[in-house]
Amino acid sequence: MSRRGELEIVVVGAGVAGSAMALALVRAGFDVALVESRPPSRWHAADEVDPRVVALAPDSAALLDELGVWRAVLAARASAYRRMRVWDALAPGELSFDAADRGEAALGWIVENRLLQHVLWGALNAPPEGAGSARLLCPAEVVAVDNEADGVAVELADGTRLRARLLIAADGAASPIRQQLGIGTRDRDYGQRAIVAHVGTERAHEATAWQRFQPGGPLAFLPLVDGRCSIVWSRPDADAARMLALDESAFLAELGCAFDFRLGAITSTTPRYAFPLKLRLAERHAIGRCALLGDAAHAVHPLAGQGLNLGLRDVRCLAALLARAQQRGGDPGAANLLRRYERERRSENTLAARGLDLIERSFGSEAMPIVAVRGLALSLADRLGPLKHLLGDAAAGRL
Ligand SMILES: Cc1cc2nc3c(=O)[nH]c(=O)nc-3n(C[C@H](O)[C@H](O)[C@H](O)COP(=O)(O)OP(=O)(O)OC[C@H]3O[C@@H](n4cnc5c(N)ncnc54)[C@H](O)[C@@H]3O)c2cc1C
């Protein structure tokens, strides 16, 4: 608690971004309240691999390591991918990355969202000695926010009122808090749904993340520890509905064909789920004593697996600024601190979101000149060492 019995910081939303933020703050010595409306489903090693997985870049793994949870993730269930292959259904050329060429053990890891949330919540419940504390309010829904000059008042659905010097909204792409704060968004509805499932393949996945661009949306095969692949198949809305309705053998046949049978026939699938895809960029990342973080600030197309990685970069940036303010006895909700956070993160997030949008538009096009240019671009990027290295650095979060 800080002055007048206020909390120092309230984080709303305990998905992966909000939980990581709360943990970073606790480890920096802050007392934090973390408010989450949905009780998380627990993760057990004996469970089937959760349908929602993310590709984590090395800088995200490094952050989780600094937060003391990465070893637990690796020990539980994470699949390192050592190679990437990207190609186009309509043009020749292929872009490939190999961790060995970069002198690294892995290009990234495929991890279940639920496992990440599970280890982060575990760490929040057992902070290291000398750290601050986390008060986990769950299930509890924030229904109103009053962003005042000297503090933020937060009202929960059960009538509880919290007051803090800083509110961090990590409440996801629909972010009710962002709406209450009157922060607008720039949106693009892709008119696509991402179909996700875990599939068995005739041949081994070779610890490789595969992506084929095709008209209508990209198809990714991400390697899982148990030898299967997790697919993310973006399709126009109507076609996604058709795919979900197909019987299993028809779905497996279409999927194999869409993947060029790179791993032979597709032999099995778990139930399929679909997620609507939208680009949504908040016009501000901070206002008054409130900051936006993760999907609340930027929801992007999953084609390069960057969404959560960007959210964890927000966490690193804001946590570092707040830790510095804490050491100086400064105000965590100070306008200059939040302005700096906004300046640093909004430009990178906007660049990433627009870049991914451009890739989606150009690889979705069937116009011949564009097809020819992107075939050339893929081949050039693959052959030009420095450019390829730069692309690899960007994907790894090292730029
Ligand atoms: C198909 C697909 C594949 C993807 N693949 C990747 C990938 O490979 N790599 C990658 O980096 N990213 C990927 N992403 C993106 C990634 O999943 C998201 O960026 C990430 O999950 C967002 O995390 P978050 O914590 O910001 O938000 P969320 O996970 O949405 O969490 C928000 C939390 O806030 C809570 N909440 C909301 N409102 C309130 C309220 N009023 N009061 C209290 N709590 C509230 C919600 O219950 C929720 O738990 C993918 C996305 C999709 C759809």
Side-chain angles (χ1 to χ4, degrees), residues 12-18 35-38 52-56 113 117 140-143 170-173 176-177 194 196 222 232 275-277 293-296 298 302 304-310:
V12 181
V16 178
V35 187
E36 169 57 50
S37 53
R38 277 182 314 195
R52 288 295 306 271
V53 298
V54 281
L56 282 186
N113 290 42
Q117 197 185 28
E141 188 182 355
V142 173
V143 291
D171 53 344
I177 307 260
V196 302
L222 308 172
V232 182
F275 298 88
L277 299 181
L293 185 95
D295 273 23
H298 45 77
Q306 284 301 306
L308 182 59
N309 290 303
L310 292 172

Side-chain angles (χ1 to χ4, degrees), residues 77-91:
R77 196 155 62 198
S79 170
Y81 56 94
R82 301 196 170 80
R83 283 169 289 276
M84 261 167 87
R85 302 267 180 275
V86 181
W87 73 106
D88 185 349
L90 300 183

Side-chain angles (χ1 to χ4, degrees), residues 328-396:
R328 291 196 302 261
D331 175 359
N336 59 349
L337 185 155
L338 294 182
R339 257 200 310 274
R340 181 137 181 223
Y341 166 68
E342 169 157 76
R343 216 174 32 241
E344 286 188 22
R345 291 308 306 157
R346 193 157 170 264
S347 48
E348 187 192 321
N349 289 328
T350 304
L351 204 64
R354 295 287 172 220
L356 294 170
D357 190 48
L358 186 68
I359 294 175
E360 194 284 328
R361 283 175 199 269
S362 45
F363 277 88
S365 171
E366 292 177 66
M368 264 334 280
I370 295 180
V371 172
V373 168
R374 68 183 191 233
L376 193 66
L378 272 185
S379 308
L380 271 180
D382 197 58
R383 271 185 237 141
L384 290 178
L387 175 59
K388 190 166 164 174
H389 203 78
L390 198 71
L391 289 172
D393 279 352

Side-chain angles (χ1 to χ4, degrees), residues 20 50 68 88 103 116 121 149 182 186 190 223 246 262 277-278 294 306 321 352-353 360 373 376:
D50 198 63
D88 185 349
L116 289 172
W121 278 48
R186 294 187 182 195
Y190 286 107
L246 285 178
R262 279 278 175 121
L277 299 181
K278 258 193 187 144
Q306 284 301 306
L321 291 170
E360 194 284 328
V373 168
L376 193 66

